[in-house]
Amino acid sequence: MSTDTSTTQERKTSFKNSSGDLLSGILVNVGSSEAAVLCHGYADTKNGFHLPALAQALATRGCSTLRFDFTGNGDSEGRFRYGNYAAEAEDVRCAIELLHSHGKTVKAILGHSKGGDTVVTYAGTYDDIPKVVNVSGRFHLERGITPRFGKDIFERLKKEKTIQVKDATVTTGPDGWTLTEEDMNERVSHDMGKLSNAIKKSSVLTIHGGADKTIPFADAHEFAKHIQNHQLTVIDGASHNYDKPQHAQQMIQLATDFMTAA
């Protein structure tokens, strides 16, 4: 189904998370009763990755969308935290509640990279959204840490408890952001296998790039093994961020087809 997008309204919005921090979002309203929530990845924002293009593609299918900055990211309030998957799943819960307050039924949630883990975490916790799209999420969360922080990161955190990180991808000011031992422990103990096994009602699509150098596509196969109602598509040659236009378009097409199917 296609929709006349001349009546589409896109506006800034905000809502509070469970801790009272104000989160910044963009609501694309096509006047539909159905909507989807779009989630960014690590240190990204609501206008990063291909989220605006996904919102536009869903609008043409008659689906409204809400995309937002997670707590401590982009224009949202709160402290930027590493890991933090359970709390970000609660941010998603608050976004869904905002759409409910606008009279929308949330048909689908989508997340890229860390956001993929967040939407799977949400589904494994609540299992109340029909369609879940995991784009290039990481299954083995104990991996991918030392390449970012160094081989001695666990030893340093055990000794110092907190470390100031200056990361150009995180816009937290000249002093950087604080990595804590608690946040690191939350990351490595967050069990994607257990959460994936807990999804019984939601239908999950995992999309992964065959040339992803950030998260190997083998992780996508792990989601497929653990989630009961699961579809997997690997896009040959695609990078983690689907940088080539043809790969981005393929990803968007797959996601929108799945999210808007009856």
Side-chain angles (χ1 to χ4, degrees), residues 14 78 93 164 213-214 217:
S14 60
R93 185 73 169 175
Q164 286 301 116
K213 295 182 180 180
T214 303
F217 68 82

Side-chain angles (χ1 to χ4, degrees), residues 112 136 208-213 235 237-244 247:
H112 169 246
S136 305
H208 213 100
D212 190 332
K213 295 182 180 180
I235 299 179
S239 66
H240 186 65
N241 290 318
Y242 302 82
D243 297 295
K244 292 184 178 180
H247 295 149

Side-chain angles (χ1 to χ4, degrees), residues 130-195:
K131 304 290 183 70
V132 177
V133 183
N134 163 32
V135 183
S136 305
R138 185 184 294 277
F139 188 87
H140 297 288
L141 294 180
E142 73 280 6
R143 301 176 185 174
I145 297 170
T146 55
R148 185 181 297 277
F149 299 111
K151 293 181 178 180
D152 63 343
I153 186 60
F154 293 100
E155 183 179 337
R156 289 177 63 201
L157 281 172
K158 185 176 181 179
K159 180 180 179 181
E160 301 174 32
K161 304 303 179 184
T162 64
I163 294 172
Q164 286 301 116
V165 180
K166 293 187 178 181
D167 185 342
T169 64
V170 183
T171 56
T172 54
D175 295 328
W177 57 278
T178 303
L179 174 64
T180 71
E181 184 181 33
E182 178 185 4
D183 288 344
M184 180 62 77
N185 289 340
E186 193 270 346
R187 152 89 184 222
V188 298
S189 64
H190 195 73
D191 192 340
M192 295 309 300
K194 181 179 180 180
L195 287 159

Side-chain angles (χ1 to χ4, degrees), residues 11 13-16 23 25 27 66 92-104 106:
R11 65 177 180 85
T13 188
S14 60
F15 57 98
K16 289 185 177 181
L23 306 188
L27 176 65
L66 172 64
V92 174
R93 185 73 169 175
C94 293
I96 290 169
E97 290 173 352
L98 175 67
L99 287 169
H100 287 169
S101 74
H102 284 275
K104 307 290 187 186
V106 179

